[in-house]
Amino acid sequence: MQRINQTIRVTKFILVGFSSLGELQMLLFVIFLFLYMTILLANATIMTVIRCSRSLHTPMYGFLFILSFSETCYTFVIIPQLLDHLLSDTKTISFVACATQLFFFLGFACTNCFLIAVMGYDRYVAICFPLRYMVIMNKRLGLGLISVSAATGFFIALVATNLICDMPFCGPNRVNHYFCDMAPVIKLACTDTHVKELVLFSLSILVIMVPFVLILISYGFIVNTILKIPSADGKRKAFATCVSHLTVVIVHYGCASIIYLRPKSKSASDKDQLVAVTYTVVTPLLNPLVYSLRNQEVKAALKRVFWRPAPSKLV
């Protein structure tokens, strides 16, 4: 801590994280390392397959490629430091590093929320306007939606990070979490935080509920269109194209809502950390697995890219 004009200013935070688990931290290290390697491999596989398979060069898989890349960056902000702290006795992080982690975590998290909503709009166009799909979802619109999602996500992250880091931190410096998230850091501010918490809650509604409502509206039109399909097989195929996206929507927005859209409470932070593990570790792993295991086009592309039959020898 530094003393400036008779005021103590915190220069480092201690990430308490899983330190209460003692020797179990080594087991957690092995588990998180395995999951992190799996996340990197799974997302790299999805991006490679989309890049190498011409049949997947469509707007839907272009958005999935960007989402996989964003999820990879998202986990890179959190998990390597978590692994380091699980093996270290000193679990400190500087104020600047904490602010940097918070900014990139929020930036990629917000971008992912918007990208998933864009993918919902893509499904709406594909099912409700199949003959005009490639005309509507052209390359220019796709790049524009991706750019707006990223720019809006990181702008909101910049605003939120500035609001939090502008607060005075002059007392406790133990963050009851395994990374610098909004609520655990705000609790350490030595000033009234109600106004800024209200602003941050409003931003959370904007990032989580607005895209979620837009997805619900899109699927309302999608269901209405599917019900008009005369054949049962046609209905099944149309709905099958949405199952993977719906699974990601439920897990992603469900976990985010539990943490960021609840009123301020004194609930145990240990429960928050369990939910945080879901959206920082499980969700980035779930996305590529869901799209590869439940999507026939991706499964077929995987076989073509990685299990190409050896050329027959001419006798």
Side-chain angles (χ1 to χ4, degrees), residues 49 53 55-56 58 60-61 295-302 304:
V49 169
S53 181
S55 64
L56 301 184
T58 63
M60 172 184 172
Y61 295 108
N295 189 297
Q296 295 301 322
E297 289 182 304
V298 175
K299 287 167 72 174
L302 277 168
R304 287 196 301 270

Side-chain angles (χ1 to χ4, degrees), residues 121-132:
Y121 174 71
D122 174 82
R123 292 298 81 207
Y124 157 72
V125 176
I127 293 176
C128 297
F129 306 98
L131 299 179
R132 299 172 55 199

Side-chain angles (χ1 to χ4, degrees), residues 214-228:
L214 291 176
I215 291 172
L216 289 181
I217 294 173
S218 296
Y219 274 99
F221 287 110
I222 288 172
V223 171
N224 184 56
T225 300
I226 291 176
L227 292 176
K228 293 178 181 179

Side-chain angles (χ1 to χ4, degrees), residues 182 195-207 257 259-264:
M182 291 193 295
V195 174
K196 290 191 175 184
E197 284 186 284
L198 181 61
V199 174
L200 293 171
F201 182 73
S202 301
L203 289 176
S204 298
I205 293 175
L206 173 64
V207 171
S257 299
I259 295 294
Y260 299 107
L261 293 185
R262 67 181 182 187
K264 186 178 179 182

Side-chain angles (χ1 to χ4, degrees), residues 100-118:
T100 303
Q101 183 184 62
L102 179 63
F103 169 72
F104 282 104
F105 162 71
L106 293 176
F108 286 115
C110 294
T111 299
N112 292 344
C113 283
F114 296 137
L115 281 175
I116 293 173
V118 167

Side-chain angles (χ1 to χ4, degrees), residues 125-294:
V125 176
I127 293 176
C128 297
F129 306 98
L131 299 179
R132 299 172 55 199
Y133 173 65
M134 293 306 297
V135 176
I136 297 174
M137 295 301 297
N138 54 66
K139 186 175 182 180
R140 182 177 179 181
L141 178 61
L143 291 175
L145 290 172
I146 292 170
S147 300
V148 170
S149 297
T152 306
F154 277 91
F155 175 75
I156 291 174
L158 181 63
V159 172
T161 304
N162 185 65
L163 283 172
I164 294 171
C165 294
D166 195 45
M167 299 178 186
F169 294 92
C170 50
N173 67 335
R174 294 174 63 84
V175 179
N176 198 7
H177 213 321
Y178 59 87
F179 69 96
C180 290
D181 201 359
M182 291 193 295
V185 174
I186 290 174
K187 287 180 181 179
L188 303 181
C190 51
T191 186
D192 182 58
T193 61
H194 287 88
V195 174
K196 290 191 175 184
E197 284 186 284
L198 181 61
V199 174
L200 293 171
F201 182 73
S202 301
L203 289 176
S204 298
I205 293 175
L206 173 64
V207 171
I208 299 172
M209 288 308 300
V210 172
F212 183 68
V213 170
L214 291 176
I215 291 172
L216 289 181
I217 294 173
S218 296
Y219 274 99
F221 287 110
I222 288 172
V223 171
N224 184 56
T225 300
I226 291 176
L227 292 176
K228 293 178 181 179
I229 298 175
S231 67
D233 187 55
K235 291 179 180 179
R236 182 185 60 79
K237 289 181 178 179
F239 184 72
T241 63
C242 301
V243 171
S244 300
H245 182 253
L246 275 173
T247 304
V248 172
V249 166
I250 292 170
V251 175
H252 186 93
Y253 289 100
C255 293
S257 299
I258 292 173
I259 295 294
Y260 299 107
L261 293 185
R262 67 181 182 187
K264 186 178 179 182
S265 65
K266 297 181 180 179
S267 59
S269 186
D270 289 343
K271 295 180 180 178
D272 291 351
Q273 290 189 56
L274 291 176
V275 178
V277 167
T278 302
Y279 67 75
T280 57
V281 180
V282 178
T283 301
L285 177 60
L286 176 70
N287 292 346
L289 291 181
V290 165
Y291 276 98
S292 61
L293 295 177
R294 299 193 62 91

